[in-house]
Amino acid sequence: MGIIKRQSIKRSVVSYGRTLMGVVSTIFIYPLDKEVYGFMQFLIGTATFLWPFASLGATVPAIRFFRNFKNSEDNHGFLGFLLLWLSIGVLIFGTLGYFFQAPLFDLLATLNFNRAYFSDNVLTIFLLCILIILIQLMISYTSNFNRIVIPNALFNLGIKLGIPTLVLLYYWGMVESDTIKWLLLGVYALILLGLIIYLAWLGGLNWRVNFKFLNRPLLKEMLNYALYGVLGSIGTVFAFSIDTIMVAPLTNYDE
């Protein structure tokens, strides 16, 4: 049996398992405390909506241009380059967000959104956005080694296990409401750690930035490719995340 066929079968098993866990959680767990579940979905949806902007498209070329950086002597400098690219994007995005957050929050208040819902959670959303970007990068980069099942299982099953667990912990009174958002960050951080360990096990973890493969035509091609990828990602996350972003801040749970 070829590696592609094995990976396809394993991915199907993971998909069925993820669906089953989602059905069980939706029917039996999430109704126990819809408010805390909605709050976590708001954080995830907002961070997911922002990550294409914050990443500057760093995750998009991870597969398409992998072969351009391959070198048997020093492995790859591509991952280090993508992380540097990502860091620049996050730095620019964070700086702009810091200086323009006040007028943005004023605009949200004008649109009858709960301003405090955003302002009180801006740090959590920013950190969660960074974690999501890094997770997406690791998943895409790991697929270059013909491994798609374990990364997707770590991410999807980690979320499907993590969020219901947090809802149950809150419902049982084991954690406070202010702690939930930090525990959610912990879930994503553990997923990222698992992906890093798996990539290291595959022999593909190399932080060193290698610029010797870069030239102006290649860099231009990568930037153009990333731009189109970002535009596509924005449309996708807007379609699937805008509802979770809007519903929670329009609802006053304090009443």
Side-chain angles (χ1 to χ4, degrees):
M1 185 182 297
I3 186 172
I4 295 179
K5 188 174 182 179
R6 290 199 305 270
Q7 291 286 303
S8 299
I9 294 174
K10 292 177 181 177
R11 188 171 187 178
S12 297
V13 173
V14 170
S15 297
Y16 293 141
R18 179 188 64 188
T19 301
L20 178 61
M21 292 168 61
V23 170
V24 172
S25 298
T26 301
I27 296 176
F28 298 106
I29 299 179
Y30 297 150
L32 296 176
D33 200 305
K34 296 179 181 179
E35 293 181 11
V36 73
Y37 172 67
F39 175 61
M40 286 190 288
Q41 288 299 311
F42 160 72
L43 295 176
I44 296 171
T46 306
T48 301
F49 178 76
L50 294 175
W51 80 259
F53 302 97
S55 66
L56 283 183
T59 62
V60 178
I63 300 174
R64 169 68 174 79
F65 296 93
F66 179 77
R67 66 181 64 185
N68 296 86
F69 286 78
K70 188 171 182 179
N71 183 282
S72 59
E73 181 180 346
D74 55 8
N75 202 353
H76 303 272
F78 195 30
L79 180 59
F81 172 72
L82 292 175
L83 289 171
L84 178 61
W85 183 345
L86 186 153
S87 300
I88 294 172
V90 169
L91 180 61
I92 295 174
F93 181 80
T95 302
L96 291 174
Y98 177 80
F99 285 106
F100 289 97
Q101 61 177 318
L104 176 59
F105 293 151
D106 290 339
L107 175 62
L108 292 172
T110 303
L111 297 174
N112 294 323
F113 283 88
N114 187 342
R115 171 176 175 158
Y117 222 81
F118 289 93
S119 60
D120 292 348
N121 300 295
V122 63
L123 178 60
T124 306
I125 292 171
F126 181 66
L127 294 176
L128 186 58
C129 179
I130 295 175
L131 288 172
I132 291 174
I133 294 171
L134 290 171
I135 288 171
Q136 294 298 326
L137 175 61
M138 289 299 167
I139 292 175
S140 297
Y141 190 80
T142 304
S143 66
N144 291 309
F145 299 88
N146 297 321
R147 294 293 186 272
I148 59 174
V149 176
I150 297 300
N152 282 282
L154 284 171
F155 177 63
N156 291 305
L157 298 183
I159 298 300
K160 294 298 183 181
L161 282 172
I163 294 179
T165 300
L166 294 183
V167 172
L168 288 174
L169 290 176
Y170 181 78
Y171 177 73
W172 291 332
M174 300 177 66
V175 297
E176 301 293 331
S177 57
D178 292 339
T179 311
I180 284 293
K181 58 185 179 183
W182 304 113
L183 292 176
L184 181 63
L185 287 175
V187 170
Y188 277 80
L190 286 175
I191 293 172
L192 176 60
L193 178 61
L195 290 170
I196 293 174
I197 293 173
Y198 183 65
L199 183 58
W201 180 75
L202 292 176
L205 192 63
N206 187 349
W207 307 108
R208 186 177 65 85
V209 181
N210 190 344
F211 293 101
K212 72 179 184 178
F213 292 99
L214 280 177
N215 53 62
R216 183 169 301 215
L218 177 60
L219 185 59
K220 182 179 179 181
E221 184 180 359
M222 290 174 63
L223 292 174
N224 289 334
Y225 188 79
L227 176 61
Y228 285 111
V230 167
L231 294 176
S233 298
I234 290 173
T236 300
V237 299
F238 185 85
F240 288 97
S241 301
I242 193 62
D243 55 340
T244 58
I245 297 173
M246 295 182 65
V247 170
L250 287 171
T251 306
N252 189 355
Y253 289 130
D254 296 330
E255 294 181 351

